[in-house]
Amino acid sequence: MSRTNTAPARPPAATGDGANRWVVLVVLCVSLLVVALDATILHVAIPSLTEDLRPSSTALLWIVDAYPLICASLLILFGTLGDRVGRRRILLLGYALFGIASAVAALATEPSVLIGARVLLGVGGAMIMPATLSILRAVFPDRRERATAIGVWTAVAAIGAATGPVLGGFLVEHYWWGSVFLINIPLMALILPLGRRLLPESRGTAGGPWDVLGALMAAAGVLGCVLGVKRAGAGDPILAFPTAGPLLLGAALLVLFVRRQKRRTHPLIDMRLFSRAAFTTSVGCIVLAMLALVGLQLIAVQYLQLVLGLSPLETGLRLLPLTFAAMAAGATGSYTLRRIGPRRMVGWGFVLTAAAVLLLTFMGQHDRPLLLTVGFVLLGFGLQTTLFSAYESMLSEAPQRSAGAAASIGETSYQLGAGMGTALLGSVMNAAYAPGLAAVPGVPEEASRAAANSLGEAYQVAGQLGGAAGGALHQAARHAFVGGLHITLFVSAGLLLLGAVMARRLPRVMECPVDVEEAVEAMSAEDFGPDDSRGSDERHGPGEPRGPHESGEGCEPVRRPRPTEAAERSGLAEPSEPRVPATREAIEPAGSGRPAH
């Protein structure tokens, strides 16, 4: 029986030598770092920006929220567009737009100009983020190498988000608020020609016209949901029209989008991806992990600055152990995934993060540096472990032709989880904090109501009152905030443990899809006899020969049965990415003369 090779040839750049792949990874990580930095670097510049531009409260809200709102809403649009017209092309356009928008933002003299620049930054970020992950999926076809690459990718994302406030605080302290945008320009000027020269072009194999209406429906639906969630997180009543209206409209548009994709011959997103338990579970784990993290991060920053009295720069430095732990988790993630598999890696990552959150409940009104450092290290390592394995499982479950769509789903889940975390944990914090200021001796009722809005406002009211009443309000606000923080931490730990239970639906072992062409080329012609269909799935012990790639400890080799002709016609088969045994012995014919291992 002759061997039939069903895997299409990949672009040369994607199958080049190992050095080229890792250089591509460096370029992708630098571009991701810039986008991740921009998501958090502006926060510490808000006081200086407000003093200079004098924006209204509404304008200030849009200056802060325009970037994440626009970026989240356009991820699906640009992710699926990249699958059709080329992911490298979309990425390079995103670089150019991001650099131009950064220059406009840095030189803005009016709030409206800065809001417009932030919108353009969001568009550029939406073009860059899914393209980096989908190109990574194409450049690293072997799952074991891809796991290492995704570990680096997720660690870089954590570094960018965590170092944004530190870098922003330094720039604002030594220069002016516009410098937080200005640093993007030389980075984009460097990475644009490098990306044009080094990055391979890749696209999906889906035919048919691009569904423009569906892409706009998805963008408007995600925008409505994220906007409604952010308003709820800001304290607006959930049933008020400015909150409920966008939420309901966004949810309705997303439902219509899903129905439209199921009916179309050439959908933007193949909804059959969600019929795969591993894919759906991975997306859910990303949402839960971000839901728990972002709300905690915001509350932790308030605790460090307002309760412990640290400066923004000192706050950023206190959070650095979390960043270093995340880097370590990303660097060791590929090895850990091969050893213990996705199910245990995601599950134990959630459990470790929940343990770190419960440890932080011992925080009080006084500084305990050792406790905070240990808690942040465990939190960073556990959460990064969870996110790495969830992203890797999600991307590996999607066929290469749908890499852009899968990446955009993952990034949208990330943004939705972050928004819901701010809303949910912020609401829990407010509900637990406000009752503690209801009856402070000597404080008027009107002052108590104003102080219940936030800890920062409570300090302002206490300063205006002065005397014994002001001191009592100040102390009561600190005590109520710490008590509310503890309750919020318990809620967050419960969500994380729920994620650990959800992770039980993930595969126990890491399956390794290997490109058939790559496997065949790695073998000499005499390795194949007249009967090469044995397909043994035997597990090999450590140190025994492996396939055409590096050792796959903990990596389960599987063979996907040859799809029937009817299945190929229906589109259910994925001939472009067959799963074949990862071991050399497993694809050799019986009686080939090779010694048994």
Side-chain angles (χ1 to χ4, degrees), residues 43-300:
H43 293 167
V44 294
I46 291 299
S48 175
L49 182 154
T50 303
E51 183 179 352
D52 191 10
L53 297 185
R54 303 289 182 183
S56 64
S57 57
T58 303
L60 182 61
L61 184 65
W62 278 105
I63 288 172
V64 175
D65 288 343
Y67 176 81
L69 280 174
I70 298 302
C71 185
S73 63
L74 296 179
L75 286 169
I76 292 176
L77 188 153
F78 286 118
T80 56
L81 182 61
D83 284 343
R84 300 300 180 100
V85 304
R87 295 149 187 161
R88 173 178 171 271
R89 180 178 300 176
I90 294 296
L91 183 61
L92 295 179
L93 289 174
Y95 289 160
L97 183 59
F98 207 84
I100 294 170
S102 297
V104 175
L107 302 176
T109 57
E110 297 290 337
S112 58
V113 176
L114 183 55
I115 292 171
R118 291 282 285 172
V119 168
L120 291 178
L121 282 170
V123 176
M127 299 173 81
I128 293 172
M129 291 177 70
T132 60
L133 199 54
S134 54
I135 291 176
L136 185 150
R137 172 70 174 83
V139 171
F140 292 91
D142 179 74
R143 184 170 183 178
R144 289 158 295 191
E145 284 189 346
R146 184 165 65 244
T148 302
I150 293 177
V152 176
W153 186 88
T154 53
V156 168
I159 293 169
T163 57
V166 180
L167 180 60
F170 173 82
L171 291 173
V172 172
E173 186 174 337
H174 290 84
Y175 302 100
W176 94 110
W177 62 264
S179 60
V180 302
F181 298 110
L182 209 58
I183 61 168
N184 294 334
I185 298 175
L187 290 174
M188 289 295 104
L190 172 66
I191 202 170
L192 182 58
L194 282 178
R196 188 170 182 269
R197 179 180 178 85
L198 298 174
L199 294 179
E201 183 60 281
S202 68
R203 54 173 59 88
T205 57
W210 186 55
D211 184 9
V212 179
L213 179 59
L216 294 177
M217 288 173 63
V222 173
L223 178 62
C225 289
V226 175
L227 181 59
V229 165
K230 280 187 170 290
R231 287 188 178 275
D236 292 354
I238 190 67
L239 297 179
F241 180 76
T243 303
L247 271 175
L248 293 175
L249 179 60
L253 285 172
L254 289 179
V255 169
L256 293 174
F257 170 76
V258 171
R259 294 181 62 183
R260 178 180 176 85
Q261 297 308 298
K262 287 181 176 180
R263 292 195 305 264
R264 289 184 64 85
T265 306
H266 303 287
L268 286 176
I269 294 176
D270 188 352
M271 291 299 163
R272 290 172 299 179
L273 286 173
F274 290 96
S275 66
R276 303 182 182 187
F279 184 87
T280 306
T281 302
S282 298
V283 171
C285 288
I286 292 171
V287 172
L288 269 180
M290 291 310 301
L291 195 152
L293 171 68
V294 173
L296 282 179
Q297 193 175 39
L298 294 175
I299 295 169

Side-chain angles (χ1 to χ4, degrees), residues 329 345 348-350 352-353 377-387:
M345 188 168 180
W348 284 111
F350 271 123
L352 180 60
T353 309
V377 167
L378 294 178
L379 183 66
F381 192 90
L383 198 66
Q384 188 66 17
T385 296
T386 299
L387 285 173

Side-chain angles (χ1 to χ4, degrees), residues 530-582:
D531 178 15
D532 63 346
S533 59
R534 185 162 55 111
S536 170
D537 280 349
E538 296 174 355
R539 300 294 300 273
H540 289 231
E544 295 184 0
R546 294 288 172 183
H549 297 281
E550 75 278 8
S551 171
E553 294 181 0
C555 189
E556 177 71 12
V558 295
R559 178 189 292 273
R560 176 172 292 174
R562 171 71 180 169
T564 64
E565 185 178 349
E568 288 183 344
R569 284 200 306 266
S570 66
L572 295 176
E574 291 169 11
S576 62
E577 216 171 310
R579 295 176 186 265
V580 300

Side-chain angles (χ1 to χ4, degrees), residues 3 18 21 162 188 208 224 229 312 355 401 502 560 565 578 585:
R3 174 175 296 272
R21 291 198 295 275
M188 289 295 104
V229 165
R401 65 174 180 268
M502 181 188 298
R560 176 172 292 174
E565 185 178 349
E585 181 184 16

